[in-house]
Amino acid sequence: AQRTEKLLQLSRAESSAPLAREPVDLAQLAEAVAQEFWQDDRVVDRLELTLAVAPQDAPLCVPGDFDALAIALRNLVENALHYSAGSSVEIVAGPGTTLAVRDHGPGVPPERLARLQQRHVRDSASRAGYGLGLSIASTIAHKHGARLRLSSPPPGLAPGFEARLALPALPAPSAFR
C-alpha cells in the first residue's frame, strides 16, 4: 500500500495538471505536517519544529499549492526519520521563503548525494524503501519554481543531512492588478 501511495504521489507530481497558486504560509504548512507526525508515539520525541521567524513578523508566504507542498515536506520528513539512525529530525520554516528538514544521522557520502533525487535511488540498500520520496519532493519543488538542495552534512553541523526547499516569494501586490 505504501509503495502504491508513493507511485501515485509521483504520478500526480509529474502530471500536467496545474497546481494552485494561492498564498501558502510556510509556518502553517510546517506546523500542519509536524502535527501529523506527532500523532505517532514513535516519532513524537524525535521530531522538532523550528519557526525561524519572530511572532511579530509577517507570515512566510509563497505562491503555491498547500497540499502539494505538504506532500513534498512529508516525504522529506519520512526520509529523515527513516535514514537518520534514530537521531532527532528538525523541520525549519524560514528564514525567508525556505523549508528545511535536517537530521543528525550518519549523512550521505558526497559521491551519492547528487543521485538521491532520481527515482528508485536510495542511500542504502540495507534499509527498506522505494527511492521515491526525494524524487517526489524534487518534482513538486520544480513545479513551484523552487529548488531542492541536499547537503550532507548540513551547513554548520556534523554529521547529518539536510534537504532544503528554496521557494520563490509572493509577487508584490501590484503584480496582481
Side-chain angles (χ1 to χ4, degrees), residues 6 35 48 80 90 95 116 136 141 161 168:
K6 292 292 180 200
Q35 286 293 336
E48 301 170 26
E90 181 182 20
L116 288 181
I136 292 165
F161 181 86

Side-chain angles (χ1 to χ4, degrees), residues 3-173:
R3 183 178 213 171
T4 300
E5 177 63 26
K6 292 292 180 200
L7 289 170
L8 285 171
Q9 286 178 359
L10 184 61
S11 176
R12 281 186 217 122
E14 290 180 340
S15 78
S16 59
L19 294 174
R21 292 287 182 218
E22 302 294 326
V24 174
D25 181 332
L26 295 182
Q28 190 177 62
L29 174 72
E31 284 186 62
V33 170
Q35 286 293 336
E36 289 177 33
F37 284 97
W38 288 333
Q39 302 305 311
D40 185 340
D41 290 338
R42 298 168 296 172
V43 174
V44 71
D45 293 332
R46 289 185 56 208
L47 182 63
E48 301 170 26
L49 173 62
T50 301
L51 303 178
V53 60
Q56 71 274 9
D57 291 345
L60 304 171
C61 288
V62 299
D65 185 303
F66 187 95
D67 293 334
L69 290 171
I71 288 169
L73 185 57
R74 200 174 298 116
N75 275 285
L76 296 177
V77 172
E78 286 173 355
N79 272 8
L81 290 167
H82 188 74
Y83 288 103
S84 65
S87 76
S88 64
V89 172
E90 181 182 20
I91 301 172
V92 182
T97 56
T98 63
L99 282 172
V101 176
R102 66 175 68 112
D103 66 59
H104 304 280
V108 177
E111 64 274 6
R112 292 199 301 226
L113 198 58
R115 294 191 57 227
L116 288 181
Q117 294 183 47
Q118 297 173 7
R119 279 191 227 168
H120 305 292
V121 173
R122 295 180 294 139
D123 177 46
S124 171
S126 66
R127 305 286 305 223
Y130 306 108
L132 296 173
L134 290 176
S135 178
I136 292 165
S138 179
T139 300
I140 291 170
H142 178 75
K143 284 190 119 178
H144 279 83
R147 182 162 174 227
L148 176 63
R149 284 185 254 132
L150 306 178
S151 306
S152 186
L157 296 175
F161 181 86
E162 178 181 89
R164 179 175 293 273
L165 280 170
L167 295 141
L170 278 173

